[in-house]
Amino acid sequence: MVMVLGILGSPREQGNTEILLDEALRGAGEAGAATGKLKLAGLDFAGCSECEECYVTGQCSIEDDMDIVYDALERADRILLASPIFFMGLPSQAKAMIDRTQRYWALKYLLKEDFPAQGTSARYGSFIGVGATRGKQLFDGTILTLKYFFDAIAVKPLRDSYLLVRGVDEKGEIRQREGIPQSAARLGTMLATRD
Ligand SMILES: Cc1cc2nc3c(=O)[nH]c(=O)nc-3n(C[C@H](O)[C@H](O)[C@H](O)COP(=O)(O)O)c2cc1C
């Protein structure tokens, strides 16, 4: 069975991002996938300390709740990061999580080892992003970061599937945006059923 992992990058409970992530996971579940959700703000983990231990061992020297995230990233077949934009990039919780996947970058590029995937299906990644403003470049920096994040965790980014929503700010406002929750559900279905 395909396992779809949703990672919530927003610290706001039941905010716009979480509403869309829940819709996507509902779509994935209804399409027959097993689903899991990780709320990064509910975990206690540090950023990367650049100690370089992973360059030698492939393991992270810091013992904290990132172990939960590592385990989930290795078990999942499909990884959906959902996040708001803070200061034109990812919120600190999501960026810290990505920085801590440097151990997988080290595995791949320094130690020449395969990602320790535990699933049996193809690994794909997608993204749901929301922001309050409407600028053309609102998601550009984040999309570039995700390209390298998904490469480190051995996931093929389904770039055309990214759901990018501009002009949403107030908590829960996304519910009133016609067609957007439905688009999130369709994204989840696609992630669950993609060969
Ligand atoms: C610290 C902070 C920084 C933000 N920076 C941006 C920004 O650079 N661009 C933008 O469009 N919206 C920005 N926003 C607005 C959020 O992206 C917006 O409120 C979004 O709907 C929040 O999603 P959530 O409800 O899932 O947390 C910022 C919000 C906060 C709290």
Side-chain angles (χ1 to χ4, degrees):
M1 186 187 263
V2 169
M3 168 68 196
V4 180
L5 172 67
I7 304 176
L8 180 66
S10 172
R12 184 153 70 168
E13 294 264 335
Q14 283 305 309
N16 299 310
T17 313
E18 188 167 23
I19 291 167
L20 293 184
L21 180 60
D22 287 348
E23 281 300 304
L25 292 176
R26 191 174 59 77
E30 286 176 8
T35 61
K37 179 171 150 187
L38 272 183
K39 295 188 182 199
L40 297 179
L43 300 176
D44 185 9
F45 62 92
C48 174
S49 63
E50 207 176 0
C51 69
E52 301 191 5
E53 184 169 313
C54 66
Y55 296 179
V56 180
T57 65
Q59 301 293 323
C60 185
S61 65
I62 307 171
E63 284 182 24
D64 59 14
D65 284 354
M66 259 310 285
D67 288 340
I68 297 167
V69 183
Y70 292 140
D71 187 57
L73 290 173
E74 291 171 18
R75 285 175 192 275
D77 305 297
R78 313 289 150 90
I79 291 159
L80 175 59
L81 177 66
S83 181
I85 297 298
F86 282 5
F87 282 87
M88 297 306 281
L90 289 164
S92 51
Q93 295 87 347
K95 186 57 165 57
M97 183 269 297
I98 289 174
D99 291 350
R100 289 284 298 280
T101 61
Q102 180 74 347
R103 58 169 287 220
Y104 296 125
W105 177 90
L107 261 192
K108 180 173 181 177
Y109 290 105
L110 302 180
L111 305 173
K112 315 282 184 204
E113 286 181 35
D114 289 337
F115 183 89
Q118 291 170 37
T120 51
S121 182
R123 289 173 63 82
Y124 294 124
S126 190
F127 175 61
I128 294 174
V130 306
T133 58
R134 296 181 181 275
K136 194 167 168 287
Q137 300 181 89
L138 181 57
F139 298 104
D140 287 3
T142 296
I143 288 169
L144 190 57
T145 298
L146 291 180
K147 180 178 169 189
Y148 291 91
F149 167 55
F150 285 141
D151 179 68
I153 62 168
V155 152
K156 182 176 183 222
L158 301 177
R159 174 65 189 85
D160 291 346
S161 73
Y162 291 7
L163 177 60
L164 307 174
V165 188
R166 294 173 167 81
V168 275
D169 201 6
E170 296 205 0
K171 184 174 174 178
E173 186 187 338
I174 199 79
R175 289 188 209 278
Q176 269 68 58
R177 288 286 292 273
E178 205 172 318
I180 302 293
Q182 292 83 347
S183 295
R186 277 198 300 277
L187 169 54
T189 302
M190 184 281 294
L191 268 185
T193 55
R194 171 95 181 210
D195 286 332

